[in-house]
Amino acid sequence: MAATGDKTTSANALGPAAVPAAVIAALGACADACRDTLTRLDGDRDRLRAALARRIRPAPDGPTRRLCAVDGAHATVPAAGATFAAIAAVAVEEDALTDQDVLVQLLPPIEELEAILGGLRTMLEIHLLARRIRATSSGLFILDGSFYSALLEINRLLVRYAQDARSPRPAAWWAPFAALIERFFADEDWRLVLDCRRVIAHPKQATAADDVAQLAPHLSGTVTDRTLWSTVLDAGEHSLPAPLIRQDRPHLLTGYRSPGLPDFAERRAAIEQGYGQLYITYYRPDAEGPAYRLELPAALIAREPLGAALATFRGALRLSAVQEPLPQFLADAICKQIGRALDATAEGARTTLQNQFGLALVQRYLGPYRTQRG
């Protein structure tokens, strides 16, 4: 009887409400963990600020510049026998769309497709940014995301590209992407962006925790450096710039060898050298908002150019509900529409082809690859 009772209890515990109930039950534990972190942050604030005092400075002021932000997005609509894929990048200057680039492809089912599209999206963003740099000799540019995350995204793509290129018969679907990759390096878009003295990167989801690990190891795993600096910085302060690459990391770009570029080793060395000239500062413009992680080239870390960069960034924070510069917010909002556009593209393709091939065949090839939810 005891065994039967256990089974009954187990069956009830695994009823339709089991998963929602488990989630709700975990809320208390999450709240307790947050409470512990906030208590430690609040209690350690004076000690942490004292430990970081040598790296805290009042933000210099300077003239504001025109601000252009570049962002990108990718989306997929998987079907039973194919995948609709789209990548977009846009540039928004002040509050106007000034440039755009879109790539749409029909692909077979591909492993690691998200990683491939993420690398291609990053290339498209940097290519568009390079195009905007070449088009104007003034202003300040923001790359959405970290320079280092861009490195990781592109290198992940190149590793996969190099692996597939070694096949006796490389997949045909690489053709349009191979052209983009070759153009990206041949035009030296990446090197131009790294060498430009007017480009900063602003990662909204900054995950680095180097300072936390060094100064507040008891908070490791719960907060990031951005949270730490948001705690210790007063309004109008910034941290002294620190190198983005904190230790010697030779051959950061490991995944790609171009048969069409015999001097690719020199190009790779130039890119890696450019990464050695990038610096990080955390900047808290006002008391209501957080500290922002900004990645800057060496040319912008001296007092006068840094003052202009920070003043431009601060001036573009126009909406209290939007914790990012207006051009970056608009670029992000525009790019996120690509998913809706791709859904419409896929549905339009199905409707068009049904007239020629009939519903059954189209559904077998372009129907959903999994059950659609209502």
Side-chain angles (χ1 to χ4, degrees):
M1 292 297 292
T4 303
D6 289 342
K7 287 182 179 179
T8 302
T9 303
S10 176
N12 291 335
L14 296 178
V19 172
V23 172
I24 292 172
L27 290 178
C30 290
D32 289 342
C34 290
R35 185 180 297 109
D36 180 63
T37 299
L38 292 175
T39 300
R40 291 186 176 197
L41 279 173
D42 188 49
D44 283 0
R45 202 260 180 184
D46 292 341
R47 182 187 70 80
L48 292 171
R49 183 172 171 89
L52 291 166
R54 293 183 179 181
R55 293 175 58 187
I56 297 174
R57 294 289 186 277
D61 202 2
T64 59
R65 312 294 188 193
R66 290 185 63 83
L67 189 65
C68 177
V70 173
D71 196 7
H74 67 269
T76 60
V77 178
T83 301
F84 295 84
I87 310 168
V90 303
V92 174
E93 187 169 343
E94 299 295 315
D95 57 0
L97 177 66
T98 59
D99 210 348
Q100 64 182 30
D101 221 338
V102 177
L103 181 63
V104 182
Q105 293 291 321
L106 184 68
L107 302 169
I110 298 168
E111 288 187 39
E112 301 176 355
L113 180 59
E114 287 296 315
I116 292 170
L117 294 179
L120 292 166
R121 183 206 70 235
T122 302
M123 281 190 172
L124 209 61
E125 292 177 40
I126 293 177
H127 172 67
L128 188 59
L129 181 53
R131 200 158 72 194
R132 295 307 306 160
I133 291 171
R134 293 183 178 105
T136 176
S137 59
S138 61
L140 190 69
F141 297 90
I142 290 184
L143 177 66
D144 190 291
S146 168
F147 282 116
Y148 195 71
S149 64
L151 172 72
L152 296 179
E153 290 276 11
I154 292 175
N155 204 60
R156 192 177 296 120
L157 163 70
L158 297 180
V159 168
R160 173 62 187 266
Y161 181 53
Q163 289 173 346
D164 287 7
R166 288 194 291 269
S167 170
R169 293 182 180 178
W173 58 262
W174 270 113
F177 302 140
L180 184 149
I181 294 169
E182 295 291 344
R183 180 191 67 183
F184 178 76
F185 284 106
D187 293 348
E188 297 198 85
D189 291 331
W190 206 356
R191 181 175 181 178
L192 174 64
V193 168
L194 294 173
D195 288 346
C196 181
R197 300 183 176 188
R198 298 178 287 136
V199 179
I200 66 175
H202 171 223
K204 291 171 287 190
Q205 293 183 332
T207 59
D210 298 316
D211 293 330
V212 172
Q214 180 180 355
L215 297 168
H218 59 290
L219 293 173
S220 291
T222 61
V223 303
T224 65
D225 285 349
R226 182 182 176 186
T227 303
L228 176 66
W229 285 102
S230 293
T231 300
V232 302
L233 289 177
D234 291 331
E237 293 181 336
H238 76 101
S239 65
L240 284 179
L244 174 65
I245 307 298
R246 297 203 174 191
Q247 55 186 345
D248 185 26
R249 296 181 185 176
H251 303 308
L252 297 172
L253 187 61
T254 61
Y256 182 57
R257 304 293 183 273
S258 173
L261 297 172
D263 61 341
F264 183 76
E266 288 78 8
R267 294 172 187 252
R268 183 184 68 185
I271 292 169
E272 293 178 346
Q273 183 179 8
Y275 269 85
Q277 300 300 309
L278 296 174
Y279 291 80
I280 305 161
T281 185
Y282 289 90
Y283 171 49
R284 191 176 180 197
D286 55 63
E288 288 73 33
Y292 294 87
R293 175 187 169 99
L294 301 179
E295 300 175 4
L296 314 114
L300 287 184
I301 65 174
R303 182 175 178 82
E304 290 186 9
L306 179 61
L310 297 183
T312 300
F313 188 90
R314 182 178 66 249
L317 297 170
R318 300 183 191 174
L319 306 176
S320 59
V322 177
Q323 292 188 347
E324 59 191 294
L326 182 61
Q328 190 177 13
F329 169 76
L330 294 174
D332 180 74
I334 292 169
C335 282
K336 284 183 176 176
Q337 301 306 308
I338 191 174
R340 296 176 182 235
L342 192 60
D343 285 332
T345 300
E347 187 59 35
R350 295 188 192 102
T351 302
T352 300
L353 292 169
Q354 283 173 18
N355 297 327
Q356 180 177 357
F357 295 100
L359 178 60
L361 178 57
V362 171
Q363 280 293 99
R364 284 198 297 273
Y365 179 57
L366 292 182
Y369 80 109
R370 63 187 299 175
T371 303
Q372 290 181 316
R373 292 181 294 177

